[in-house]
PDB file of all heavy atoms in Angstrom:
ATOM      1  N   LEU A   1       1.229 -48.813  60.456  1.00  0.00           N
ATOM      2  CA  LEU A   1       2.030 -49.988  60.772  1.00  0.00           C
ATOM      3  C   LEU A   1       2.608 -50.623  59.513  1.00  0.00           C
ATOM      4  O   LEU A   1       3.628 -51.314  59.571  1.00  0.00           O
ATOM      5  CB  LEU A   1       1.194 -51.031  61.525  1.00  0.00           C
ATOM      6  CG  LEU A   1       1.023 -50.836  63.037  1.00  0.00           C
ATOM      7  CD1 LEU A   1       0.201 -49.592  63.346  1.00  0.00           C
ATOM      8  CD2 LEU A   1       0.357 -52.065  63.657  1.00  0.00           C
ATOM      9  N   GLU A   2       1.939 -50.371  58.367  1.00  0.00           N
ATOM     10  CA  GLU A   2       2.359 -50.979  57.111  1.00  0.00           C
ATOM     11  C   GLU A   2       3.295 -50.088  56.298  1.00  0.00           C
ATOM     12  O   GLU A   2       4.195 -50.575  55.630  1.00  0.00           O
ATOM     13  CB  GLU A   2       1.122 -51.294  56.257  1.00  0.00           C
ATOM     14  CG  GLU A   2       0.103 -52.206  56.915  1.00  0.00           C
ATOM     15  CD  GLU A   2      -1.174 -52.283  56.096  1.00  0.00           C
ATOM     16  OE1 GLU A   2      -1.118 -52.024  54.879  1.00  0.00           O
ATOM     17  OE2 GLU A   2      -2.240 -52.587  56.679  1.00  0.00           O
ATOM     18  N   ASN A   3       3.058 -48.808  56.332  1.00  0.00           N
ATOM     19  CA  ASN A   3       3.811 -47.882  55.475  1.00  0.00           C
ATOM     20  C   ASN A   3       4.222 -46.643  56.267  1.00  0.00           C
ATOM     21  O   ASN A   3       3.719 -45.537  56.018  1.00  0.00           O
ATOM     22  CB  ASN A   3       2.959 -47.499  54.263  1.00  0.00           C
ATOM     23  CG  ASN A   3       3.753 -46.744  53.212  1.00  0.00           C
ATOM     24  OD1 ASN A   3       4.947 -46.497  53.362  1.00  0.00           O
ATOM     25  ND2 ASN A   3       3.086 -46.349  52.139  1.00  0.00           N
ATOM     26  N   PRO A   4       5.126 -46.796  57.228  1.00  0.00           N
ATOM     27  CA  PRO A   4       5.470 -45.662  58.106  1.00  0.00           C
ATOM     28  C   PRO A   4       6.077 -44.471  57.375  1.00  0.00           C
ATOM     29  O   PRO A   4       5.866 -43.325  57.767  1.00  0.00           O
ATOM     30  CB  PRO A   4       6.461 -46.271  59.101  1.00  0.00           C
ATOM     31  CG  PRO A   4       7.003 -47.489  58.417  1.00  0.00           C
ATOM     32  CD  PRO A   4       5.887 -48.009  57.580  1.00  0.00           C
ATOM     33  N   HIS A   5       6.822 -44.716  56.295  1.00  0.00           N
ATOM     34  CA  HIS A   5       7.487 -43.607  55.604  1.00  0.00           C
ATOM     35  C   HIS A   5       6.490 -42.620  55.019  1.00  0.00           C
ATOM     36  O   HIS A   5       6.775 -41.417  54.936  1.00  0.00           O
ATOM     37  CB  HIS A   5       8.407 -44.145  54.510  1.00  0.00           C
ATOM     38  CG  HIS A   5       9.616 -44.856  55.034  1.00  0.00           C
ATOM     39  ND1 HIS A   5      10.688 -44.198  55.591  1.00  0.00           N
ATOM     40  CD2 HIS A   5       9.902 -46.183  55.122  1.00  0.00           C
ATOM     41  CE1 HIS A   5      11.587 -45.076  55.973  1.00  0.00           C
ATOM     42  NE2 HIS A   5      11.136 -46.289  55.714  1.00  0.00           N
ATOM     43  N   ALA A   6       5.302 -43.102  54.626  1.00  0.00           N
ATOM     44  CA  ALA A   6       4.281 -42.202  54.084  1.00  0.00           C
ATOM     45  C   ALA A   6       3.868 -41.160  55.110  1.00  0.00           C
ATOM     46  O   ALA A   6       3.533 -40.016  54.763  1.00  0.00           O
ATOM     47  CB  ALA A   6       3.059 -43.005  53.634  1.00  0.00           C
ATOM     48  N   TYR A   7       3.911 -41.520  56.381  1.00  0.00           N
ATOM     49  CA  TYR A   7       3.509 -40.607  57.455  1.00  0.00           C
ATOM     50  C   TYR A   7       4.570 -39.547  57.725  1.00  0.00           C
ATOM     51  O   TYR A   7       4.243 -38.397  58.039  1.00  0.00           O
ATOM     52  CB  TYR A   7       3.179 -41.402  58.721  1.00  0.00           C
ATOM     53  CG  TYR A   7       1.917 -42.207  58.540  1.00  0.00           C
ATOM     54  CD1 TYR A   7       1.922 -43.391  57.796  1.00  0.00           C
ATOM     55  CD2 TYR A   7       0.709 -41.775  59.054  1.00  0.00           C
ATOM     56  CE1 TYR A   7       0.763 -44.111  57.580  1.00  0.00           C
ATOM     57  CE2 TYR A   7      -0.460 -42.495  58.848  1.00  0.00           C
ATOM     58  CZ  TYR A   7      -0.429 -43.659  58.109  1.00  0.00           C
ATOM     59  OH  TYR A   7      -1.584 -44.361  57.879  1.00  0.00           O
ATOM     60  N   ILE A   8       5.822 -39.934  57.587  1.00  0.00           N
ATOM     61  CA  ILE A   8       6.897 -38.950  57.763  1.00  0.00           C
ATOM     62  C   ILE A   8       6.887 -37.963  56.593  1.00  0.00           C
ATOM     63  O   ILE A   8       6.974 -36.746  56.793  1.00  0.00           O
ATOM     64  CB  ILE A   8       8.268 -39.644  57.876  1.00  0.00           C
ATOM     65  CG1 ILE A   8       8.274 -40.620  59.069  1.00  0.00           C
ATOM     66  CG2 ILE A   8       9.372 -38.615  58.014  1.00  0.00           C
ATOM     67  CD1 ILE A   8       7.913 -39.991  60.409  1.00  0.00           C
ATOM     68  N   ASP A   9       6.740 -38.468  55.386  1.00  0.00           N
ATOM     69  CA  ASP A   9       6.744 -37.599  54.203  1.00  0.00           C
ATOM     70  C   ASP A   9       5.611 -36.582  54.267  1.00  0.00           C
ATOM     71  O   ASP A   9       5.817 -35.383  54.062  1.00  0.00           O
ATOM     72  CB  ASP A   9       6.622 -38.436  52.929  1.00  0.00           C
ATOM     73  CG  ASP A   9       7.834 -39.311  52.678  1.00  0.00           C
ATOM     74  OD1 ASP A   9       8.893 -39.042  53.280  1.00  0.00           O
ATOM     75  OD2 ASP A   9       7.715 -40.267  51.896  1.00  0.00           O
ATOM     76  N   SER A  10       4.398 -37.039  54.514  1.00  0.00           N
ATOM     77  CA  SER A  10       3.242 -36.148  54.475  1.00  0.00           C
ATOM     78  C   SER A  10       3.065 -35.372  55.765  1.00  0.00           C
ATOM     79  O   SER A  10       2.927 -34.150  55.755  1.00  0.00           O
ATOM     80  CB  SER A  10       1.975 -36.958  54.178  1.00  0.00           C
ATOM     81  OG  SER A  10       0.861 -36.106  54.087  1.00  0.00           O
ATOM     82  N   ASN A  11       3.075 -36.073  56.894  1.00  0.00           N
ATOM     83  CA  ASN A  11       2.691 -35.445  58.159  1.00  0.00           C
ATOM     84  C   ASN A  11       3.806 -34.645  58.816  1.00  0.00           C
ATOM     85  O   ASN A  11       3.520 -33.733  59.603  1.00  0.00           O
ATOM     86  CB  ASN A  11       2.181 -36.510  59.134  1.00  0.00           C
ATOM     87  CG  ASN A  11       0.981 -37.261  58.596  1.00  0.00           C
ATOM     88  OD1 ASN A  11       0.602 -37.098  57.442  1.00  0.00           O
ATOM     89  ND2 ASN A  11       0.383 -38.091  59.417  1.00  0.00           N
ATOM     90  N   ILE A  12       5.055 -34.978  58.531  1.00  0.00           N
ATOM     91  CA  ILE A  12       6.164 -34.224  59.116  1.00  0.00           C
ATOM     92  C   ILE A  12       6.771 -33.269  58.085  1.00  0.00           C
ATOM     93  O   ILE A  12       6.788 -32.049  58.286  1.00  0.00           O
ATOM     94  CB  ILE A  12       7.254 -35.167  59.672  1.00  0.00           C
ATOM     95  CG1 ILE A  12       6.652 -36.109  60.735  1.00  0.00           C
ATOM     96  CG2 ILE A  12       8.395 -34.346  60.258  1.00  0.00           C
ATOM     97  CD1 ILE A  12       6.095 -35.427  61.955  1.00  0.00           C
ATOM     98  N   VAL A  13       7.249 -33.803  56.972  1.00  0.00           N
ATOM     99  CA  VAL A  13       7.851 -32.950  55.939  1.00  0.00           C
ATOM    100  C   VAL A  13       6.802 -31.982  55.385  1.00  0.00           C
ATOM    101  O   VAL A  13       7.059 -30.776  55.238  1.00  0.00           O
ATOM    102  CB  VAL A  13       8.462 -33.801  54.804  1.00  0.00           C
ATOM    103  CG1 VAL A  13       8.976 -32.909  53.685  1.00  0.00           C
ATOM    104  CG2 VAL A  13       9.588 -34.678  55.354  1.00  0.00           C
ATOM    105  N   GLY A  14       5.621 -32.502  55.091  1.00  0.00           N
ATOM    106  CA  GLY A  14       4.561 -31.650  54.557  1.00  0.00           C
ATOM    107  C   GLY A  14       4.174 -30.545  55.519  1.00  0.00           C
ATOM    108  O   GLY A  14       3.980 -29.386  55.112  1.00  0.00           O
ATOM    109  N   PHE A  15       4.075 -30.868  56.791  1.00  0.00           N
ATOM    110  CA  PHE A  15       3.712 -29.845  57.788  1.00  0.00           C
ATOM    111  C   PHE A  15       4.817 -28.797  57.918  1.00  0.00           C
ATOM    112  O   PHE A  15       4.531 -27.604  58.091  1.00  0.00           O
ATOM    113  CB  PHE A  15       3.416 -30.494  59.136  1.00  0.00           C
ATOM    114  CG  PHE A  15       2.805 -29.553  60.138  1.00  0.00           C
ATOM    115  CD1 PHE A  15       1.607 -28.922  59.863  1.00  0.00           C
ATOM    116  CD2 PHE A  15       3.413 -29.307  61.350  1.00  0.00           C
ATOM    117  CE1 PHE A  15       1.027 -28.042  60.786  1.00  0.00           C
ATOM    118  CE2 PHE A  15       2.851 -28.439  62.277  1.00  0.00           C
ATOM    119  CZ  PHE A  15       1.651 -27.810  61.986  1.00  0.00           C
ATOM    120  N   MET A  16       6.044 -29.231  57.829  1.00  0.00           N
ATOM    121  CA  MET A  16       7.156 -28.282  57.866  1.00  0.00           C
ATOM    122  C   MET A  16       7.051 -27.281  56.714  1.00  0.00           C
ATOM    123  O   MET A  16       7.277 -26.072  56.899  1.00  0.00           O
ATOM    124  CB  MET A  16       8.486 -29.045  57.770  1.00  0.00           C
ATOM    125  CG  MET A  16       9.719 -28.163  57.871  1.00  0.00           C
ATOM    126  SD  MET A  16       9.839 -27.436  59.517  1.00  0.00           S
ATOM    127  CE  MET A  16      11.150 -26.253  59.251  1.00  0.00           C
ATOM    128  N   ASN A  17       6.702 -27.759  55.533  1.00  0.00           N
ATOM    129  CA  ASN A  17       6.551 -26.868  54.377  1.00  0.00           C
ATOM    130  C   ASN A  17       5.427 -25.858  54.585  1.00  0.00           C
ATOM    131  O   ASN A  17       5.531 -24.698  54.163  1.00  0.00           O
ATOM    132  CB  ASN A  17       6.312 -27.687  53.106  1.00  0.00           C
ATOM    133  CG  ASN A  17       7.540 -28.473  52.680  1.00  0.00           C
ATOM    134  OD1 ASN A  17       8.667 -28.123  53.027  1.00  0.00           O
ATOM    135  ND2 ASN A  17       7.326 -29.542  51.931  1.00  0.00           N
ATOM    136  N   VAL A  18       4.352 -26.295  55.224  1.00  0.00           N
ATOM    137  CA  VAL A  18       3.244 -25.385  55.524  1.00  0.00           C
ATOM    138  C   VAL A  18       3.681 -24.332  56.537  1.00  0.00           C
ATOM    139  O   VAL A  18       3.391 -23.133  56.375  1.00  0.00           O
ATOM    140  CB  VAL A  18       2.014 -26.167  56.029  1.00  0.00           C
ATOM    141  CG1 VAL A  18       0.942 -25.221  56.575  1.00  0.00           C
ATOM    142  CG2 VAL A  18       1.435 -27.030  54.915  1.00  0.00           C
ATOM    143  N   LEU A  19       4.357 -24.756  57.582  1.00  0.00           N
ATOM    144  CA  LEU A  19       4.841 -23.801  58.585  1.00  0.00           C
ATOM    145  C   LEU A  19       5.765 -22.761  57.965  1.00  0.00           C
ATOM    146  O   LEU A  19       5.650 -21.551  58.237  1.00  0.00           O
ATOM    147  CB  LEU A  19       5.579 -24.539  59.702  1.00  0.00           C
ATOM    148  CG  LEU A  19       4.732 -25.316  60.698  1.00  0.00           C
ATOM    149  CD1 LEU A  19       5.628 -26.184  61.580  1.00  0.00           C
ATOM    150  CD2 LEU A  19       3.886 -24.383  61.560  1.00  0.00           C
ATOM    151  N   GLU A  20       6.680 -23.213  57.131  1.00  0.00           N
ATOM    152  CA  GLU A  20       7.611 -22.285  56.488  1.00  0.00           C
ATOM    153  C   GLU A  20       6.884 -21.334  55.543  1.00  0.00           C
ATOM    154  O   GLU A  20       7.198 -20.139  55.470  1.00  0.00           O
ATOM    155  CB  GLU A  20       8.683 -23.061  55.732  1.00  0.00           C
ATOM    156  CG  GLU A  20       9.806 -23.574  56.617  1.00  0.00           C
ATOM    157  CD  GLU A  20      10.718 -22.438  57.063  1.00  0.00           C
ATOM    158  OE1 GLU A  20      11.626 -22.069  56.298  1.00  0.00           O
ATOM    159  OE2 GLU A  20      10.504 -21.915  58.181  1.00  0.00           O
ATOM    160  N   GLY A  21       5.882 -21.849  54.829  1.00  0.00           N
ATOM    161  CA  GLY A  21       5.108 -20.994  53.946  1.00  0.00           C
ATOM    162  C   GLY A  21       4.378 -19.909  54.714  1.00  0.00           C
ATOM    163  O   GLY A  21       4.352 -18.733  54.311  1.00  0.00           O
ATOM    164  N   CYS A  22       3.790 -20.282  55.851  1.00  0.00           N
ATOM    165  CA  CYS A  22       3.092 -19.303  56.692  1.00  0.00           C
ATOM    166  C   CYS A  22       4.067 -18.287  57.259  1.00  0.00           C
ATOM    167  O   CYS A  22       3.796 -17.078  57.279  1.00  0.00           O
ATOM    168  CB  CYS A  22       2.370 -20.023  57.829  1.00  0.00           C
ATOM    169  SG  CYS A  22       0.952 -21.019  57.328  1.00  0.00           S
ATOM    170  N   ARG A  23       5.206 -18.762  57.713  1.00  0.00           N
ATOM    171  CA  ARG A  23       6.206 -17.880  58.325  1.00  0.00           C
ATOM    172  C   ARG A  23       6.710 -16.820  57.346  1.00  0.00           C
ATOM    173  O   ARG A  23       6.780 -15.633  57.683  1.00  0.00           O
ATOM    174  CB  ARG A  23       7.368 -18.722  58.838  1.00  0.00           C
ATOM    175  CG  ARG A  23       8.584 -17.923  59.272  1.00  0.00           C
ATOM    176  CD  ARG A  23       9.817 -18.806  59.343  1.00  0.00           C
ATOM    177  NE  ARG A  23      11.023 -17.999  59.539  1.00  0.00           N
ATOM    178  CZ  ARG A  23      12.263 -18.457  59.407  1.00  0.00           C
ATOM    179  NH1 ARG A  23      12.452 -19.723  59.069  1.00  0.00           N
ATOM    180  NH2 ARG A  23      13.293 -17.671  59.605  1.00  0.00           N
ATOM    181  N   HIS A  24       7.062 -17.235  56.164  1.00  0.00           N
ATOM    182  CA  HIS A  24       7.726 -16.317  55.225  1.00  0.00           C
ATOM    183  C   HIS A  24       6.749 -15.451  54.437  1.00  0.00           C
ATOM    184  O   HIS A  24       7.179 -14.528  53.743  1.00  0.00           O
ATOM    185  CB  HIS A  24       8.599 -17.118  54.254  1.00  0.00           C
ATOM    186  CG  HIS A  24       9.822 -17.696  54.888  1.00  0.00           C
ATOM    187  ND1 HIS A  24      10.860 -16.914  55.357  1.00  0.00           N
ATOM    188  CD2 HIS A  24      10.165 -18.985  55.158  1.00  0.00           C
ATOM    189  CE1 HIS A  24      11.794 -17.694  55.870  1.00  0.00           C
ATOM    190  NE2 HIS A  24      11.403 -18.953  55.766  1.00  0.00           N
ATOM    191  N   ASN A  25       5.436 -15.754  54.552  1.00  0.00           N
ATOM    192  CA  ASN A  25       4.467 -15.012  53.754  1.00  0.00           C
ATOM    193  C   ASN A  25       3.340 -14.416  54.594  1.00  0.00           C
ATOM    194  O   ASN A  25       2.265 -14.119  54.085  1.00  0.00           O
ATOM    195  CB  ASN A  25       3.914 -15.913  52.649  1.00  0.00           C
ATOM    196  CG  ASN A  25       4.995 -16.344  51.674  1.00  0.00           C
ATOM    197  OD1 ASN A  25       5.360 -15.593  50.775  1.00  0.00           O
ATOM    198  ND2 ASN A  25       5.528 -17.554  51.866  1.00  0.00           N
ATOM    199  N   ALA A  26       3.624 -14.247  55.874  1.00  0.00           N
ATOM    200  CA  ALA A  26       2.762 -13.486  56.787  1.00  0.00           C
ATOM    201  C   ALA A  26       1.318 -13.978  56.830  1.00  0.00           C
ATOM    202  O   ALA A  26       0.370 -13.172  56.848  1.00  0.00           O
ATOM    203  CB  ALA A  26       2.802 -12.002  56.421  1.00  0.00           C
ATOM    204  N   ALA A  27       1.123 -15.296  56.823  1.00  0.00           N
ATOM    205  CA  ALA A  27      -0.231 -15.823  57.020  1.00  0.00           C
ATOM    206  C   ALA A  27      -0.711 -15.437  58.415  1.00  0.00           C
ATOM    207  O   ALA A  27       0.028 -15.570  59.393  1.00  0.00           O
ATOM    208  CB  ALA A  27      -0.237 -17.338  56.850  1.00  0.00           C
ATOM    209  N   GLY A  28      -1.942 -14.975  58.508  1.00  0.00           N
ATOM    210  CA  GLY A  28      -2.423 -14.449  59.775  1.00  0.00           C
ATOM    211  C   GLY A  28      -2.805 -15.486  60.805  1.00  0.00           C
ATOM    212  O   GLY A  28      -2.835 -15.192  62.009  1.00  0.00           O
ATOM    213  N   HIS A  29      -3.104 -16.716  60.376  1.00  0.00           N
ATOM    214  CA  HIS A  29      -3.513 -17.760  61.312  1.00  0.00           C
ATOM    215  C   HIS A  29      -3.425 -19.105  60.611  1.00  0.00           C
ATOM    216  O   HIS A  29      -3.952 -19.269  59.506  1.00  0.00           O
ATOM    217  CB  HIS A  29      -4.951 -17.514  61.780  1.00  0.00           C
ATOM    218  CG  HIS A  29      -5.402 -18.366  62.929  1.00  0.00           C
ATOM    219  ND1 HIS A  29      -6.739 -18.526  63.274  1.00  0.00           N
ATOM    220  CD2 HIS A  29      -4.706 -19.109  63.830  1.00  0.00           C
ATOM    221  CE1 HIS A  29      -6.833 -19.311  64.332  1.00  0.00           C
ATOM    222  NE2 HIS A  29      -5.609 -19.689  64.685  1.00  0.00           N
ATOM    223  N   LEU A  30      -2.772 -20.059  61.246  1.00  0.00           N
ATOM    224  CA  LEU A  30      -2.698 -21.432  60.756  1.00  0.00           C
ATOM    225  C   LEU A  30      -3.526 -22.323  61.668  1.00  0.00           C
ATOM    226  O   LEU A  30      -3.252 -22.418  62.871  1.00  0.00           O
ATOM    227  CB  LEU A  30      -1.244 -21.925  60.731  1.00  0.00           C
ATOM    228  CG  LEU A  30      -1.043 -23.440  60.540  1.00  0.00           C
ATOM    229  CD1 LEU A  30      -1.604 -23.910  59.203  1.00  0.00           C
ATOM    230  CD2 LEU A  30       0.436 -23.804  60.673  1.00  0.00           C
ATOM    231  N   VAL A  31      -4.545 -22.953  61.100  1.00  0.00           N
ATOM    232  CA  VAL A  31      -5.326 -23.959  61.806  1.00  0.00           C
ATOM    233  C   VAL A  31      -4.997 -25.310  61.174  1.00  0.00           C
ATOM    234  O   VAL A  31      -5.028 -25.442  59.953  1.00  0.00           O
ATOM    235  CB  VAL A  31      -6.831 -23.668  61.691  1.00  0.00           C
ATOM    236  CG1 VAL A  31      -7.654 -24.815  62.286  1.00  0.00           C
ATOM    237  CG2 VAL A  31      -7.174 -22.360  62.390  1.00  0.00           C
ATOM    238  N   TYR A  32      -4.652 -26.294  61.981  1.00  0.00           N
ATOM    239  CA  TYR A  32      -4.193 -27.570  61.435  1.00  0.00           C
ATOM    240  C   TYR A  32      -4.851 -28.738  62.160  1.00  0.00           C
ATOM    241  O   TYR A  32      -5.282 -28.628  63.308  1.00  0.00           O
ATOM    242  CB  TYR A  32      -2.670 -27.685  61.531  1.00  0.00           C
ATOM    243  CG  TYR A  32      -2.143 -27.654  62.945  1.00  0.00           C
ATOM    244  CD1 TYR A  32      -1.898 -28.828  63.651  1.00  0.00           C
ATOM    245  CD2 TYR A  32      -1.894 -26.444  63.592  1.00  0.00           C
ATOM    246  CE1 TYR A  32      -1.429 -28.802  64.953  1.00  0.00           C
ATOM    247  CE2 TYR A  32      -1.419 -26.403  64.896  1.00  0.00           C
ATOM    248  CZ  TYR A  32      -1.197 -27.584  65.568  1.00  0.00           C
ATOM    249  OH  TYR A  32      -0.748 -27.550  66.873  1.00  0.00           O
ATOM    250  N   ALA A  33      -4.922 -29.853  61.462  1.00  0.00           N
ATOM    251  CA  ALA A  33      -5.542 -31.061  62.000  1.00  0.00           C
ATOM    252  C   ALA A  33      -4.559 -31.819  62.873  1.00  0.00           C
ATOM    253  O   ALA A  33      -3.511 -32.251  62.408  1.00  0.00           O
ATOM    254  CB  ALA A  33      -6.012 -31.963  60.869  1.00  0.00           C
TER     255      ALA A  33
END
């Protein structure tokens, strides 16, 4: 409620980077919180 942009940066942009890393480098399984 105080710092919404921190959640977009880490939880959305950061997760996108993880997904792309897994996609392009053949990670066998992604488990996420």
Side-chain angles (χ1 to χ4, degrees):
L1 278 67
E2 302 171 23
N3 190 0
H5 290 286
Y7 291 77
I8 301 304
D9 293 342
S10 182
N11 301 8
I12 302 298
V13 175
F15 190 59
M16 183 66 190
N17 291 337
V18 170
L19 286 170
E20 279 287 276
C22 290
R23 170 198 170 192
H24 289 293
N25 297 279
H29 191 196
L30 167 62
V31 173
Y32 62 94

